[in-house]
Amino acid sequence: MAERQKDRPWLMRTYAGHSTAEASNELYRRNLAKGQTGLSVAFDLPTQTGYDPDHVLARGEVGRVGVPVSHLGDMRRLFQDIPLERTNTSMTINATAMWLLALYQVVAEEQGLDREAVSRLSGTTQNDIVKEYLSRGTHVFPPGPSLRLTTDVIAYTVAHLPRWNPINICSYHLQEAGATPVQEIAYAMSTAVAVLDAVRDSGQVPAERMGDVVGRISFFVNAGVRFVEEMCKMRAFTRIWDRITRERYGIEDPRHRRFRYGVQVNSLGLTEAQPENNVQRIVLEMLAVTLSKDARARAVQLPAWNEALGLPRPWDQQWSLRIQQVLAHESDLLEYDDLFAGSHVVEARTAELAEAAWTEIGRIQEMGGAMAAVESGYLKARLVAAHAERRARIESGEEKIVGVNCFESTEPSPLTADLDTAVLTVDPAVERNVTAALRRWRAARDEDRARQALDGLKRTAAGDGNLMPATLECARAGVTTGEWAGALREVFGEYRAPTGVSSAPLATPAEAGSALAAVRAKVSATAAGLGTGRLRLLVGKPGLDGHSNGAEQIAVRARDAGFEVVYQGIRLTPEQIVAAAVAEDVHCVGLSVLSGSHAELVPDVLDRLRRAGAGDVPVVVGGIIPRADAEALRAAGVAAVFTPKDFGITEIIGRIVDEIRTANKLDPLEVPA
């Protein structure tokens, strides 16, 4: 039998970066040596939100969820001994995407690449600000200026970096925030329309080159565990993209209309309980985006089995890389045409998803497009509602999660026998060292050139010129991440996105005999016992962690249980949280932290409450918190710690009421929660 010709495998990446540029560089070189075929850079939250490591909001966040890049020197060290002309680099960066791309280009120039070689740089900047407003929370500027930054990057790369993907429209975090497949398709496509319309209308790209723009647009999607539905979602994506680009923008070349996407499979569905089950979840989710040749991902990165426990170690990430390599190189998957062509089941579900997505896209266009739907709060409210409905299905047992709400009995796992070493920890000294290095950088640079570069950036921002040339000059002049973003903040202002909490509908009815009805009774009885009209709960997001999904769900369920909820959104200092708690005279403070900064920020909140005379207000904390850290928080005075294993939100609200009663020396209630 003749040997079949195999397709080229997809790009294999590991989303990685932590601590320092030097440590991340070592990790990248090790990963490339293990057979990884592309880099995927994770930046820390200060870098993502435009702050330097010495800013008050950066405290506890430096090097936690990614690598800190404060200036050109950091970028040099990050890619030292990695030849950028032969490397495909994906950078998960949005509000500050222009800045990081400029640093990357200058490092490539410093590696000796001439203009023609620089033009061959390949990779991706995510550069999708809409999903930041909706789900990830690393936005900085208002929608209008943010869209301008995105547009300027696209126009610049089309002219100067034609192999670069200037935007990676990201529906991944939409699913993490609760989006249904239809919402994921519709919101991503509506974002693409907003971006392409802005590029077309900017006048920066000639009409005859719009095909080049469309041809470099890529997408970053999420693949959940519902295999058939997720595979059909990807096929529906390809059909809708082909139609939009042909009908709305007149793109005739089918190569330009190809739906090009990378994927990370679902992290929302990874469980703290029986975490070994996450391996089979990851494999099944990967198959949804690789088995179907006609809708196969161009790049894949997989989470690690232990991400619900904390930061994965290099070995955990290697395991995920090996999963991809076994499928691509040991199986015969890449030898065949599309396995699902002609399937009546697949065709029917694909058509159903596409039709429903078209309807939702039309609704968003009637509102004025994606940006208008962001500013009105419509998109955020729909996501919060969809997430609340999913959580209600899990709590009721309608949606089953193995090891969580069914088949909960388990043998002891050798993988988690020593939880304290089963995840990566970042030494707190890293932040001090990075901050000290930043001060040395500022002291050694040409200060006049840096000031002039920033003045030039502000002048350009106040006008209508492309911001990329001024940004490149800032990079070469030694400007820092916080200074670049700060200059644009002066011109553009900042933006606090709608939370979606107040307009989210009731997801769990408080019917007689239900768990929520019992908790409502506890809330009412406790309020009466304290002589107040309603119990007041402050839900706070300290630091830069923008993962607000859990906080929003707690806020919505507490509201439905009868609490008056104070929720001001993300990105607050401990000082601001305590000031709000005192001003609103709350009965409990709930803090949500998923970035690992809990050890630094939570004790600060406790200390400030005591100094404000509110030390008797119970504080509860939720997030991805390792066991040792949870014990330390309780020892510091935290009343209760909740982690992903605590999936029952109504039960959590009931426990919060218990803590309020305990703090106020009220007798326990006999009402079951």
Side-chain angles (χ1 to χ4, degrees):
M1 186 174 69
E3 185 175 342
R4 295 185 181 90
Q5 182 69 33
K6 292 187 72 168
D7 288 340
R8 187 171 64 180
W10 51 90
L11 274 173
M12 298 183 192
R13 293 186 170 121
T14 302
Y15 183 54
H18 64 81
S19 303
T20 64
E22 293 87 346
S24 298
N25 172 265
E26 181 183 347
L27 178 62
Y28 294 163
R29 287 188 284 111
R30 287 209 312 267
N31 286 347
L32 290 169
K34 292 172 184 175
Q36 189 173 297
T37 52
L39 293 177
S40 180
V41 182
F43 296 100
D44 73 354
L45 289 174
T47 305
Q48 292 185 52
T49 51
Y51 292 107
D52 284 333
D54 56 356
H55 192 279
V56 62
L57 275 169
R59 192 158 56 92
E61 308 281 13
V62 177
R64 289 281 179 186
V65 300
V67 58
V69 175
S70 304
H71 47 71
L72 183 59
D74 287 341
M75 198 63 122
R76 285 177 191 143
R77 291 189 292 274
L78 185 62
F79 290 105
Q80 186 172 341
D81 300 323
I82 297 175
L84 297 188
E85 78 274 16
R86 300 199 303 272
T87 305
N88 189 298
T89 303
S90 171
M91 294 192 282
T92 302
I93 196 73
N94 295 285
T96 55
M98 178 182 285
W99 174 240
L100 273 298
L101 178 58
L103 293 175
Y104 189 85
Q105 177 181 323
V106 175
V107 167
E109 293 167 354
E110 291 183 344
Q111 289 187 354
L113 303 190
D114 60 19
R115 181 176 298 180
E116 198 277 329
V118 166
S119 73
R120 296 198 302 272
L121 290 175
S122 63
T124 301
T125 34
Q126 193 164 94
N127 201 21
D128 173 7
I129 205 65
V130 171
K131 62 91 176 176
E132 298 301 322
Y133 296 133
L134 299 179
S135 55
R136 182 59 188 84
T138 69
H139 54 275
V140 177
F141 313 111
S146 294
L147 188 58
R148 175 184 171 184
L149 285 166
T150 298
T151 300
D152 285 358
V153 168
I154 293 171
Y156 177 83
T157 55
V158 167
H160 300 284
L161 303 174
R163 295 179 59 186
W164 193 267
N165 299 320
I167 184 170
N168 196 217
I169 293 169
C170 179
S171 66
Y172 174 85
H173 291 98
L174 301 183
Q175 186 179 122
E176 297 277 282
T180 65
V182 168
Q183 289 172 328
E184 191 178 342
I185 296 169
Y187 297 175
M189 288 297 165
S190 297
T191 298
V193 167
V195 168
L196 287 173
D197 282 1
V199 173
R200 180 194 60 196
D201 298 343
S202 74
Q204 295 190 68
V205 178
E208 63 272 15
R209 296 209 63 187
M210 278 301 291
D212 295 329
V213 174
V214 171
R216 299 317 302 177
I217 301 288
S218 62
F219 292 78
F220 187 68
V221 304
N222 199 329
V225 77
R226 290 173 56 81
F227 170 80
V228 175
E229 187 170 69
E230 293 296 283
M231 185 187 63
C232 293
K233 178 186 77 180
M234 300 320 309
R235 298 171 85 92
F237 255 128
T238 63
R239 293 184 188 182
I240 291 176
W241 182 240
D242 184 80
R243 180 176 166 186
I244 286 175
T245 54
R246 181 165 33 85
E247 295 182 0
R248 190 179 184 94
Y249 302 105
I251 307 302
E252 297 297 335
D253 189 337
R255 293 173 300 176
H256 287 158
R257 298 200 310 268
R258 185 180 301 137
F259 183 73
R260 302 160 61 252
Y261 78 99
V263 66
Q264 173 161 317
V265 306
N266 187 277
S267 293
L268 175 69
L270 301 183
T271 63
E272 180 183 7
Q274 299 180 30
E276 63 274 10
N277 294 335
N278 293 331
V279 176
Q280 50 263 37
R281 292 184 180 108
I282 290 167
V283 172
L284 184 61
E285 291 163 351
M286 177 184 66
L287 292 177
V289 296
T290 54
L291 284 187
S292 178
K293 180 178 179 179
D294 290 348
R296 180 173 292 150
R298 299 281 291 270
V300 177
Q301 59 191 45
L302 303 180
W305 68 277
N306 55 347
E307 287 195 17
L309 304 174
L311 289 175
R313 302 157 298 185
W315 182 85
D316 307 310
Q317 294 186 322
Q318 175 184 295
W319 190 356
S320 292
L321 174 63
R322 295 292 186 247
I323 291 172
Q324 295 196 59
Q325 291 169 329
V326 168
L327 179 65
H329 299 296
E330 294 188 24
S331 84
D332 59 352
L333 170 66
L334 297 176
E335 297 175 15
Y336 293 93
D337 288 334
D338 195 277
L339 305 180
F340 301 97
S343 165
H344 298 302
V345 171
V346 170
E347 176 56 36
R349 185 61 180 137
T350 300
E352 184 179 16
L353 289 172
E355 182 179 355
W358 272 117
T359 300
E360 182 66 5
I361 291 169
R363 184 176 295 116
I364 293 168
Q365 289 306 304
E366 288 174 2
M367 295 177 184
M371 290 301 184
V374 165
E375 294 185 273
S376 71
Y378 169 77
L379 295 183
K380 183 64 174 179
R382 295 306 305 148
L383 287 177
V384 172
H387 198 182
E389 290 164 6
R390 178 179 182 270
R391 292 300 301 245
R393 292 194 302 271
I394 293 171
E395 291 179 55
S396 70
E398 177 187 348
E399 185 170 323
K400 291 182 167 42
I401 300 178
V402 173
V404 174
N405 63 359
C406 63
F407 310 112
E408 296 167 61
S409 62
T410 180
E411 298 296 327
S413 170
L415 290 175
T416 56
D418 183 1
L419 274 176
D420 295 336
T421 62
V423 294
L424 178 73
T425 57
V426 176
D427 188 338
V430 164
E431 186 166 318
R432 295 193 295 272
N433 295 338
V434 169
T435 300
L438 172 66
R439 295 193 185 105
R440 291 193 297 272
W441 173 268
R442 290 195 190 117
R445 71 186 178 184
D446 181 338
E447 193 63 27
D448 286 341
R449 185 180 179 186
R451 290 297 117 203
Q452 289 171 14
L454 287 167
D455 288 343
L457 178 69
K458 286 188 278 191
R459 283 195 302 273
T460 306
D464 57 5
N466 189 298
L467 283 157
M468 191 68 185
T471 296
L472 282 163
E473 172 55 22
C474 285
R476 295 179 180 120
V479 165
T480 68
T481 298
E483 290 168 341
W484 178 86
L488 293 182
R489 281 182 168 100
E490 288 183 34
V491 180
F492 295 152
E494 291 193 75
Y495 185 69
R496 294 193 71 80
T499 67
V501 168
S502 60
S503 53
L506 179 71
T508 304
E511 297 170 348
S514 68
L516 185 57
V519 171
R520 283 184 68 96
K522 287 179 69 168
V523 170
S524 178
T526 303
L530 293 175
T532 185
R534 297 175 70 188
L535 293 184
R536 292 177 295 281
L537 170 67
L538 184 146
V539 177
K541 291 285 297 177
L544 296 176
D545 172 33
H547 283 107
S548 59
N549 305 329
E552 290 156 3
Q553 295 306 310
I554 291 292
V556 169
R557 191 67 57 84
R559 176 203 69 185
D560 295 345
F563 273 91
E564 178 182 333
V565 177
V566 179
Y567 177 57
Q568 298 172 327
I570 62 172
R571 218 177 297 170
L572 299 170
T573 64
E575 183 179 15
Q576 290 171 320
I577 288 172
V578 170
V582 172
E584 300 288 345
D585 192 23
V586 300
H587 298 96
C588 181
V589 173
L591 303 177
S592 169
V593 185
L594 282 83
S595 63
S597 61
H598 49 265
E600 181 94 17
L601 299 180
V602 173
D604 191 11
V605 171
L606 291 169
D607 183 56
R608 289 176 183 276
L609 282 170
R610 293 185 191 108
R611 283 189 275 140
D616 56 343
V617 175
V619 174
V620 301
V621 181
I624 298 177
I625 301 173
R627 182 176 58 188
D629 287 4
E631 292 172 357
L633 291 177
R634 282 189 284 266
V638 168
V641 177
F642 302 101
T643 65
K645 71 178 184 300
D646 302 297
F647 71 94
I649 299 181
T650 299
E651 180 183 346
I652 290 173
I653 302 303
R655 288 178 60 187
I656 289 173
V657 180
D658 292 339
E659 296 300 340
I660 292 172
R661 295 188 68 84
T662 299
N664 288 277
K665 299 181 173 56
L666 296 178
D667 292 334
L669 286 171
E670 296 302 320
V671 183

